[in-house]
Structure formats: C-alpha cells, structure tokens
Amino acid sequence: MNSLTQHNRTHKGQKPYQCSECKKYFKYKYCLTKHERTHTKEKPYKCSECQKTFSQKASLIIHERTHTGEKPYKCSECQKSFSTKASQINHERTHTEEKPYLCPECPKRFINKIYLTHHERTHTGRKPYWCSECHKSFSHRASLINHVRIHTGEKPFKCSDCQKSFSQKGTLTRHERHHSVQKPYQCPECQKSFILKDHLTRHERTHTGENPYQCSECQRSFNVKANLTRHERTHTEEKPYKCSECQKTFCQKGNLTQHKRKHTGQKPYQCSECQKSFRLKANLTLHERTHTGEKPYQCSECHLSFSVKGTLVQHERTHTGEKPYKCSECQKSFSQKSQLTEHERKHTGQKPYLCSECQKSFRLKGYLTLHERTHTGEKPYQCSECQRSFSVKNSLNRHKRTHR
C-alpha cells in the first residue's frame, strides 16, 4: 500500500484492518499487528543486555537507554535531559503550567494523562491492583508494590552515607537530605524552609486551613493523606503491621516500632538533664517539662496551665460538664476514659492488679499500691509536726487534726 492511500484514510476515517479477537478496527496494518500482541502476549523484541522482552520495538529502544544512560530529549527551559519524549513534554509543562487533561467529574486539570487516570479513581473508587497476600486493593500499581514490601520485608533502597535501607525510593531521597541538611522548599507566607516538598505543602495548609483528604465513611477531613489512611483503618479495623516476636498486629508502622521496644528493652530517648531514658519520644518531652516547668497548654476559661494536652482536655470538662464516656451496662457517664474503665470493673468483677507477694488481686492500681505497703512496711506520709509516718495519706490527714 502506498503512502498516499494511507494518508487519504486519515481524512476519510477508514479503518479497514479488524482484530479477529476483539473486533477492534485500525487504519494501518502495523497498528493491528501491534494490537494483536496484547492478545497473544508475543514479545519479539529482546534486550541484548538483560534479555528482557518487549511487544513493541519502541519500548525496547526506550528500555535500552536504562543501560546506556542516554537521554536524548532536553528541556529548552532548564536543559534537563530525559530518556523519552513524553517525559520531556510532561516536564516542560511544569514551566508553562499547561494542564491539558481535564477531569470530566470535577474541574481539576493535570499535566499528563496518567495523573488524570489515577485521579479519576478517586471518583469511581476503582482499585484494580490487589495484594495476593492479604487481598487489600489499591488504585495505583506503585502503591501495591510498596505495600507488598510490608509482607516481604524487602528494603532495596540503601543510603550511601549510613547504609540504612528503605522500602521506598522517596523515603531514601528524603532521608539523604538529613545528611546534606538541604532545605530547598520555602514557605512564601512565613519563609520557613523544608527538606521535602510534601512538608512544605502540609505546612502551607496551616495558613490556608485546607483539609483536602476526606473519609468516605464519616466525612471527617484531614490535611495529610497519611492521617486519612490511618483514620480509615479505624473503620476497616485493618492491622497490616505484625510483631515477629509475639504476633500482635498494629494499624500503624510507628506503633509496631514502639511495641518492639517492649521486647528489646530499648529506650532511645534520653533526658539531657538527668540522663533518664524513655521508650517513646513523647514521654521524654513530657518528662523534660518537669525540669523546665513549662506548661504550654492553657485553659481559655480560667487560664490554668498544664504540661500535658490531655490533662487540659480533661480539665476543660470541669467547665463544660461534658462526660463523653458512657457505661454500656448502667448508662453512667464519665469525663475521663480511665474512670469509665475503672467503673466497668464493678460490673465485670475484673481485678487485673495482682500482688506478687500474696497473689491477692485488686480492681484499681491504687488499691494494690496501698496493699503492698502492708508487706514492705513503707510509710511515705510523714507528719511535719511530730515526724510520725503513715502508709496512707488519709491517715496522715486524720492525725494532723489531733495537733489542731
């Protein structure tokens, strides 16, 4: 067939070549030949370097550049080079801010088609990639690959500086900046600089108040996608992180890391003032306030200050009268979860605190502490008037009245 005949078909819209498998039509025979390989899985083009095979010659040529390092396509704006023309075109759009791919569902636009395809799945909820180990599904193939490493424990990305390994390349890139102390991303609002672009994006939301990630189950919104992912596990009850020591599972990797320290006894966080060590960084932060006297959390009602945010939240309920924790047995309400837990033991008869000396058990930890003093003879409460000591504070208070 001559070139003129082929050219005429572009005007007439003729597609004379039909696939016998799926009945799809094509203008040119070579297009049909390429398409048929999607059915036959034939891959006639082989890389001489690594023996990988491809269904199209163009795919082989692009692949071979991973061996040669050739990057023939250069950005006219910043001179950055690329191995494929498509990569160059996508990159140049970061200079022109052109976004030709429009979502049919919402007004959002994208610089390339694959980003649009990924975005459209947020509307359809489609997750075509699933894990053969735990059957969890993902909307992106890269997300599945990263997830599978949770099961295999594979960490193929190694830091050349400290030899630490990572399961994701992005995590390695972020880690390496800690060695260089490079902070290339600056907030235009407050001039604060960040190692990662993601961190800058998150930070900017503190100025705008934007929470773009919404839970489809309860409509709660988050400013960070990772927070949404963690939150969604409260609905699905998924716990993908398992302790190899005791098989306990966790919904967050950080919780697993903290849990493992119970087995190893590791306490990596040390107080610079008194050298006391802690298993959790949050515990160190709270402890350090006993030295500094810092109380950063202030009640807006009475201006009383607290060193722990949780204590402030509990205190504020004395003003509001809020009691969010309700007993399912008798409907009694409490302002603190710990109070509800202690109360529920009245119904269950549970006594989890056991004396190591005589095996007697108690409903409250405070009761056990008092009981243990009958074995140790400890009397920590001393009268300032006559130096007499008592094992219980109430006994000291009663005694003080004899002096008055």
Side-chain angles (χ1 to χ4, degrees):
M1 183 190 300
N2 61 40
S3 299
L4 177 59
T5 305
Q6 289 183 355
H7 174 74
N8 286 337
R9 284 182 188 150
T10 62
H11 294 297
K12 295 177 181 179
Q14 290 178 336
K15 293 183 177 180
Y17 301 103
Q18 187 182 35
C19 172
S20 58
E21 191 74 32
C22 65
K23 310 305 181 188
K24 193 173 180 180
Y25 286 92
F26 298 87
K27 285 181 185 177
Y28 310 117
K29 190 171 183 180
Y30 73 87
C31 292
L32 170 62
T33 304
K34 283 183 187 178
H35 167 78
E36 285 175 331
R37 289 177 191 145
T38 63
H39 299 299
T40 63
K41 309 296 182 188
E42 181 193 6
K43 295 182 178 182
Y45 303 103
K46 184 185 283 189
C47 173
S48 58
E49 191 76 31
C50 66
Q51 312 309 309
K52 192 173 180 180
T53 55
F54 300 87
S55 59
Q56 297 180 36
K57 192 174 181 179
S59 300
L60 170 62
I61 293 168
I62 291 169
H63 165 79
E64 285 173 333
R65 289 175 188 148
T66 63
H67 299 299
T68 63
E70 183 191 9
K71 293 183 177 181
Y73 303 100
K74 188 176 281 189
C75 171
S76 57
E77 189 76 28
C78 66
Q79 309 308 308
K80 192 172 181 180
S81 297
F82 301 88
S83 58
T84 64
K85 179 84 176 169
S87 299
Q88 179 205 352
I89 291 168
N90 287 335
H91 166 78
E92 285 177 336
R93 287 177 184 146
T94 63
H95 297 299
T96 62
E97 297 184 0
E98 180 195 6
K99 293 182 178 180
Y101 299 99
L102 177 69
C103 174
E105 198 72 32
C106 70
K108 209 163 181 184
R109 305 182 77 97
F110 300 87
I111 61 170
N112 64 41
K113 194 173 181 180
I114 192 68
Y115 290 169
L116 171 61
T117 303
H118 288 165
H119 166 77
E120 285 176 327
R121 289 175 188 152
T122 63
H123 296 299
T124 63
R126 185 168 169 253
K127 295 182 177 181
Y129 305 103
W130 59 277
C131 172
S132 58
E133 188 77 26
C134 65
H135 305 294
K136 187 177 180 183
S137 57
F138 300 87
S139 55
H140 306 329
R141 187 159 186 248
S143 301
L144 170 62
I145 292 168
N146 290 335
H147 165 81
V148 167
R149 290 179 187 141
I150 293 172
H151 300 299
T152 63
E154 182 193 8
K155 293 183 177 181
F157 305 103
K158 186 178 280 189
C159 173
S160 57
D161 242 297
C162 65
Q163 307 308 307
K164 192 173 180 180
S165 296
F166 300 89
S167 59
Q168 299 179 37
K169 190 174 181 181
T171 312
L172 169 61
T173 303
R174 292 193 288 268
H175 165 80
E176 285 175 331
R177 287 185 185 140
H178 289 289
H179 293 299
S180 65
V181 200
Q182 181 189 5
K183 292 185 177 180
Y185 303 103
Q186 189 176 53
C187 173
E189 189 78 28
C190 65
Q191 314 311 310
K192 193 172 180 181
S193 295
F194 298 87
I195 291 172
L196 310 176
K197 191 175 182 181
D198 281 353
H199 290 178
L200 170 61
T201 304
R202 289 179 196 174
H203 165 79
E204 285 176 328
R205 289 175 189 147
T206 64
H207 297 300
T208 63
E210 182 192 10
N211 288 332
Y213 303 102
Q214 190 175 51
C215 173
S216 57
E217 193 75 29
C218 66
Q219 312 309 311
R220 191 174 168 188
S221 297
F222 301 86
N223 64 351
V224 182
K225 191 174 183 182
N227 291 347
L228 170 62
T229 302
R230 284 195 290 268
H231 165 79
E232 285 175 330
R233 288 177 186 147
T234 63
H235 297 299
T236 63
E237 296 183 358
E238 182 201 5
K239 295 182 177 181
Y241 303 101
K242 184 184 281 188
C243 173
S244 56
E245 192 77 30
C246 65
Q247 309 309 307
K248 191 173 180 181
T249 55
F250 299 87
C251 61
Q252 297 179 36
K253 191 175 182 181
N255 291 348
L256 171 60
T257 303
Q258 291 174 5
H259 165 80
K260 282 179 174 177
R261 292 176 190 146
K262 289 183 179 179
H263 298 299
T264 62
Q266 184 190 14
K267 293 183 177 181
Y269 303 104
Q270 190 175 50
C271 173
S272 58
E273 191 75 31
C274 66
Q275 312 312 309
K276 192 172 180 180
S277 296
F278 298 87
R279 189 162 52 86
L280 307 178
K281 191 175 183 181
N283 290 349
L284 170 62
T285 303
L286 294 178
H287 165 79
E288 286 174 331
R289 288 175 187 155
T290 63
H291 297 298
T292 63
E294 183 193 8
K295 293 183 177 181
Y297 303 103
Q298 190 177 55
C299 174
S300 57
E301 190 75 29
C302 66
H303 306 296
L304 197 66
S305 296
F306 301 88
S307 58
V308 184
K309 189 175 183 180
T311 311
L312 168 63
V313 172
Q314 290 175 7
H315 164 79
E316 285 174 332
R317 289 177 186 146
T318 63
H319 298 299
T320 63
E322 182 193 10
K323 293 183 177 181
Y325 303 103
K326 185 179 283 188
C327 173
S328 57
E329 193 75 31
C330 66
Q331 309 307 308
K332 192 173 181 180
S333 297
F334 300 88
S335 59
Q336 298 178 34
K337 192 175 182 181
S338 59
Q339 292 172 341
L340 171 62
T341 303
E342 290 175 359
H343 166 81
E344 285 175 332
R345 290 178 190 142
K346 289 182 179 179
H347 298 298
T348 63
Q350 184 190 14
K351 294 181 177 181
Y353 301 103
L354 187 72
C355 174
S356 57
E357 192 74 32
C358 66
Q359 310 309 307
K360 193 173 180 180
S361 57
F362 298 88
R363 185 165 52 86
L364 304 179
K365 192 175 182 181
Y367 291 169
L368 171 62
T369 303
L370 294 177
H371 166 80
E372 285 175 330
R373 289 174 188 153
T374 63
H375 297 298
T376 62
E378 183 192 9
K379 294 182 177 181
Y381 303 102
Q382 190 175 50
C383 174
S384 57
E385 195 78 30
C386 66
Q387 312 309 310
R388 190 175 170 186
S389 297
F390 300 86
S391 59
V392 183
K393 193 174 183 181
N394 282 344
S395 299
L396 170 62
N397 291 337
R398 283 195 297 269
H399 165 77
K400 281 180 175 179
R401 290 180 196 132
T402 63
H403 294 298
R404 290 201 297 271

